[in-house]
Amino acid sequence: MAGWFRTFTPRPHALRQLVCFPHAGGAASTFRGWAELVGPTVEVVAVQYPGRQDRIADPLPGDLAELADRVAAEVAPRLTRPTAFFGHSMGAAVAFETARRLRPQFPSRLTRLYVSACDAPPAHRRRTADHTDAEIREYVRFLGGSGAALLEDEELWQLSLPALRNDFRLIESYRYTTGAPLTCPVTAIAGDSDQSVSHADVLRWQDITIGPFGAVTQPGGHFYFDDSAAGLAELFRADENWAKPGMAAI
């Protein structure tokens, strides 16, 4: 069984690390080129969910809570330097739930949570998780981005469909439960032409932390960084507090 993390540009002596959580149907390879975005002082570590790429044979999680439990257990030993989480779409919910589980063990390690293209958990609405393959295909086309390339290769689409279908079930059956808020800074990001998540939706993320909160809009749709990641790179590099251990804690 392959491990949970991929580091495409190893920087073991970097001062800090960014742990990235993919979207529904996504894989660690989404973040392959992100080392250039964050600069030489940061190591990018991408989470590889079960059921895709080199983990295609691994059992799929039963719900989002189980997935967060497993990621938290695996990432905890890695929190030996200042660490930020970045989660996109479904990955934002997984990153948030992982952060909640780490709070008792590491009260000073997570220095920021970036949540991208995802409505806030307190505003999340449970929906039906029973979709036909055609409906899933149409939604992937609607969101666009590099993931839509799957639709052009039927063999690749069929290989990806079980994990994608399960991810849809995870996020659509996810139910937020109240609890102690995070105390780390939270930055919520939305694409200005994303038709699935609005700027107003991401503003609700301020409800889950008592730490500093900011909401940022980037040009583009749901996968705004596929077309231009310049704004995201600027956001990461301008975040000086992330580089200072002990500035914030979950």
Side-chain angles (χ1 to χ4, degrees), residues 4-5 21 65-79 85 97-102 105-106:
W4 282 82
F5 305 103
F21 295 72
E66 177 189 337
L67 179 57
D69 286 342
R70 294 169 69 181
V71 176
E74 295 291 331
V75 80
R78 291 174 167 264
L79 303 183
F85 284 176
E97 290 292 343
T98 300
R100 296 178 91 186
R101 286 154 172 75
L102 293 172
Q105 291 88 354
F106 294 97

Side-chain angles (χ1 to χ4, degrees), residues 6-17:
R6 305 292 176 270
T7 305
F8 300 107
T9 304
R11 291 172 177 163
H13 302 297
L15 298 176
R16 47 196 174 136
Q17 66 181 335

Side-chain angles (χ1 to χ4, degrees), residues 179-234:
L182 304 182
T183 60
C184 68
V186 173
T187 299
I189 309 166
D192 61 6
S193 58
D194 187 349
Q195 298 182 55
S196 63
V197 181
S198 70
H199 185 72
D201 291 331
V202 301
L203 283 175
R204 286 291 306 276
W205 280 98
Q206 63 188 312
D207 297 343
I208 57 87
T209 184
I210 58 173
F213 174 81
V216 179
T217 300
Q218 295 289 313
H222 192 70
F223 293 98
Y224 57 87
F225 49 76
D226 277 353
D227 296 325
S228 175
L232 200 55
E234 183 179 352

Side-chain angles (χ1 to χ4, degrees), residues 5-76:
F5 305 103
R6 305 292 176 270
T7 305
F8 300 107
T9 304
R11 291 172 177 163
H13 302 297
L15 298 176
R16 47 196 174 136
Q17 66 181 335
L18 178 68
V19 179
C20 298
F21 295 72
H23 56 281
S29 57
T30 299
F31 306 104
R32 182 179 294 277
W34 278 40
E36 296 180 6
L37 290 183
V38 299
T41 63
V42 181
E43 183 174 58
V44 176
V45 177
V47 179
Q48 186 76 301
Y49 303 142
R52 61 216 73 204
Q53 294 183 340
D54 56 349
R55 299 196 66 191
I56 196 166
D58 290 355
L60 298 171
D63 54 34
L64 195 141
E66 177 189 337
L67 179 57
D69 286 342
R70 294 169 69 181
V71 176
E74 295 291 331
V75 80

Side-chain angles (χ1 to χ4, degrees), residues 125-149:
R125 299 177 300 277
R126 288 177 68 111
R127 298 178 289 271
T128 177
D130 184 18
H131 292 286
T132 67
D133 292 356
E135 288 172 334
I136 294 174
R137 183 187 289 266
E138 185 56 34
Y139 191 66
V140 170
R141 181 178 290 110
F142 166 74
L143 292 179
S146 59

Side-chain angles (χ1 to χ4, degrees), residues 74-122:
E74 295 291 331
V75 80
R78 291 174 167 264
L79 303 183
T80 57
R81 52 185 164 171
T83 299
F85 284 176
F86 176 93
H88 183 72
S89 198
M90 182 190 85
V94 181
F96 165 66
E97 290 292 343
T98 300
R100 296 178 91 186
R101 286 154 172 75
L102 293 172
R103 186 173 181 271
Q105 291 88 354
F106 294 97
S108 63
R109 293 304 184 188
L110 191 63
T111 55
R112 186 170 293 272
L113 173 64
Y114 294 97
V115 287
S116 170
C118 183
D119 54 356

